[in-house]
């Protein structure tokens, strides 16, 4: 039977509105790539991200360009020579992993050589808003062990104090999404340190972060928009303490695992994060997150309804994916 390929755009409503410093959205628009061969089916999901010049149309077109190569037997190892890193390659890479698992009857974690997968504790996310509204949202998560808070505007020190007071027993990550600048970063970092924040994610715009090598880090700093793949890591030394690995940035599980290994060798801490998508997008990231200092895979919890079957969430705990979902 010939290899069959399908590219599908899906829209998943968000429960309310999800807001970061760059704007708000009310739905997660994802691309699902499906490969079928001899009755076996493999799937991968990606989330096009405008910040990186991606759209639904561009990602679908990038995947379409791979049709002939995949039909001729292109493998995961061939993908970097055929398509750049990003959302499109992620969907294809993860679909190829899933297809191999289904063909062989082995889990992806077994193929990779990972120990038995264990349950993880994920951060939950509080959207950007004014200090009072964010404190109220944070208070609703005060029983969760790890909360990620979106900042990146004027008066962030006030937001930081408010959310820390609203959840005194929780560890808090501050994510500025490139929203700070050289003039306010020291003040905001000191406010974060005073509030007991455990990590600050991407405080400055990618490519405009030279000051991070010159100022103290009273709270560890994590690279997100500045960290896409393994080749970026050497440029981050001395500026960042941790990196956020997202499969939509790396171009799939294959590169994410490579990046994780090299990051550990260089002494970086590791967060495994996500865009807002369904459990199909989170499932491969669960494998990378088995060795992470911070896990941020709450994308499905932001949706009004998740894919079925999906990952099983109990509070902040998330179980490894079942084969019916992926891998």
């Amino acid at each position: 039977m010939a290899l069959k390929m399908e590219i599908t755009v899906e829209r998943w409503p968000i429960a309310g509105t999800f807001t970061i410093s760059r704007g708000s959205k009310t739905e997660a628009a994802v691309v699902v790539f499906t490969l079928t061969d001899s009755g076996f089916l493999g799937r991968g999901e990606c989330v096009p991200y405008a910040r990186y010049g991606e759209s639904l149309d561009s990602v679908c077109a990038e995947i379409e360009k791979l049709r002939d190569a995949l039909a001729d037997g292109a493998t995961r190892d061939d993908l970097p020579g055929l398509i750049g890193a990003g959302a499109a390659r992620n969907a294809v890479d993860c679909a190829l992993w899933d297809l191999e698992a289904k063909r062989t009857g082995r889990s992806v974690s077994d193929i990779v050589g990972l120990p038995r997968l264990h349950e993880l504790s994920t951060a939950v996310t509080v959207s950007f808003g004014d200090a009072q509204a964010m404190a109220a949202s944070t208070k609703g998560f005060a029983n969760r062990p790890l909360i990620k808070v979106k900042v990146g505007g004027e008066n962030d020190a006030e937001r930081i104090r408010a959310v820390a007071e609203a959840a005194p027993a929780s560890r808090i990550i501050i994510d500025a999404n490139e929203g700070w600048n050289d003039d306010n970063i020291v003040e905001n970092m000191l406010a974060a340190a005073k509030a007991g924040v455990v990590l600050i994610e991407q405080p400055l715009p990618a490519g405009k972060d030279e000051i991070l090598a010159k100022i103290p880090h009273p709270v560890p700093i994590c690279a997100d928009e500045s960290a896409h793949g393994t080749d970026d890591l050497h440029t981050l030394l001395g500026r960042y303490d941790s990196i956020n690995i997202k499969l939509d940035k790396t171009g799939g599980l294959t590169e994410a695992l490579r990046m994780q290994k090299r990051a550990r060798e260089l002494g970086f801490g590791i967060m495994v994060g996500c865009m807002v998508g369904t459990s199909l997008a989170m499932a491969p990231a669960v494998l990378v997150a088995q060795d992470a200092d911070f896990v941020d895979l709450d994308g499905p919890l932001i949706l009004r309804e998740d894919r079925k079957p999906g990952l099983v969430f109990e509070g902040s705990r998330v179980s490894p994916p079942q084969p019916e979902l992926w891998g």
Side-chain angles (χ1 to χ4, degrees):
M1 181 183 295
L3 191 70
K4 294 183 179 179
M5 289 162 265
E6 183 179 7
I7 306 166
T8 307
V9 172
E10 298 178 352
R11 297 180 184 274
W12 296 81
I14 287 171
T17 301
F18 182 71
T19 303
I20 66 173
S21 61
R22 281 191 289 268
S24 302
K25 62 181 183 176
T26 57
E27 68 174 12
V30 309
V31 176
V32 176
F33 180 60
T34 304
L35 285 170
T36 306
D37 185 24
S38 302
F40 298 104
L41 184 148
R43 299 185 301 168
E45 177 184 317
C46 69
V47 183
Y49 201 45
R51 168 66 180 82
Y52 305 136
E54 298 173 336
S55 67
L56 291 169
D57 289 343
S58 73
V59 166
C60 289
E62 284 292 298
I63 297 174
E64 184 62 42
K65 291 177 185 177
L66 297 173
R67 186 175 293 271
D68 290 343
L70 291 169
D72 290 339
T75 68
R76 294 186 301 272
D77 292 334
D78 296 322
L79 290 181
L82 298 170
I83 186 174
R89 197 170 90 194
N90 177 31
V92 177
D93 180 81
C94 290
L96 286 167
W97 276 109
D98 191 31
L99 183 60
E100 180 177 345
K102 300 301 192 293
R103 279 173 174 163
T104 62
R106 300 171 64 199
S107 67
V108 174
S109 60
D110 186 39
I111 297 169
V112 171
L114 294 176
R116 182 180 178 87
L117 298 184
H118 56 79
E119 193 179 61
L120 300 168
S121 179
T122 180
V124 291
T125 305
V126 172
S127 284
F128 180 81
D130 63 47
Q132 185 176 2
M134 292 180 70
S137 297
T138 303
K139 191 172 183 179
F141 291 136
N143 64 333
R144 300 297 185 95
L146 183 63
I147 303 172
K148 179 170 170 173
V149 178
K150 295 289 189 178
V151 297
E154 297 295 326
N155 303 315
D156 270 350
E158 180 183 355
R159 291 184 178 90
I160 292 167
R161 287 191 293 269
V163 298
E165 290 171 2
S170 302
R171 295 191 303 159
I172 292 178
I173 298 170
I174 295 297
D175 184 5
N177 285 115
E178 305 180 282
W180 294 353
N181 55 54
D182 288 2
D183 294 330
N184 63 23
I185 185 169
V186 172
E187 174 191 357
N188 288 336
M189 287 178 64
L190 290 175
K194 187 174 181 180
V197 169
V198 297
L199 193 71
I200 297 172
E201 193 176 346
Q202 197 67 42
L204 299 172
K208 298 180 180 179
D209 53 5
E210 297 87 356
I211 195 174
L212 296 180
K214 305 171 185 176
I215 61 175
H217 294 193
V219 178
I221 301 177
C222 179
D224 181 3
E225 285 87 347
S226 293
H228 288 251
T230 307
D231 293 342
D232 295 327
L233 293 174
H234 72 282
T235 69
L236 308 178
L237 290 168
R239 299 186 186 185
Y240 293 93
D241 308 291
S242 298
I243 60 164
N244 188 344
I245 300 174
K246 294 179 180 175
L247 274 64
D248 277 316
K249 293 188 301 179
T250 67
L253 177 63
T254 304
E255 173 64 13
L257 291 169
R258 177 172 169 254
M259 186 179 187
Q260 180 186 45
K261 181 176 183 294
R262 183 56 179 152
R264 286 297 193 201
E265 292 171 350
L266 292 173
F268 287 108
I270 291 175
M271 170 190 279
V272 174
C274 65
M275 307 303 185
V276 182
T278 79
S279 282
L280 181 57
M282 305 303 122
V286 169
L287 275 65
V288 188
Q290 297 293 302
D291 175 35
D293 304 296
F294 297 96
V295 178
D296 179 27
L297 297 178
D298 68 335
L301 300 180
I302 296 170
L303 303 177
R304 186 181 304 165
E305 184 179 358
D306 189 18
R307 190 182 303 278
K308 293 182 174 58
L311 294 172
V312 176
F313 289 87
E314 294 184 4
S316 294
R317 307 296 296 179
V318 55
S319 298
Q322 295 299 308
E324 295 79 13
L325 173 63
W326 183 89

